Amino acid sequence: MQVRGATESFIAYCDGEVHLGEAVLVASSRGDRSVEVYPVNQLRVPPRTPPSQED
């Protein structure tokens, strides 16, 4: 993982399966260079609704 321009290693924990090289979202730190992650392809982001335009 690139952090502040340098490569660093972390132990990643996830409830599901994550494949080597798969993009993940780091959700939180467990301390001692370990993190909770979620696979990006499993994230559910609600669709963006444009702001209402009142005249």
Side-chain angles (χ1 to χ4, degrees):
M1 172 186 294
Q2 288 286 97
V3 178
R4 294 180 295 268
T7 300
E8 300 199 22
S9 297
F10 294 85
I11 298 170
Y13 292 91
C14 182
D15 288 340
E17 189 173 299
V18 177
H19 300 285
L20 183 63
E22 184 174 357
V24 295
L25 171 70
V26 177
S28 63
S29 171
R30 287 184 160 196
D32 297 328
R33 304 192 65 74
S34 60
V35 292
E36 289 281 339
V37 300
Y38 295 97
V40 172
N41 65 354
Q42 293 179 6
L43 297 177
R44 297 203 175 21
V45 178
R48 183 173 177 246
T49 56
S52 62
Q53 295 184 1
E54 297 180 17
D55 294 339

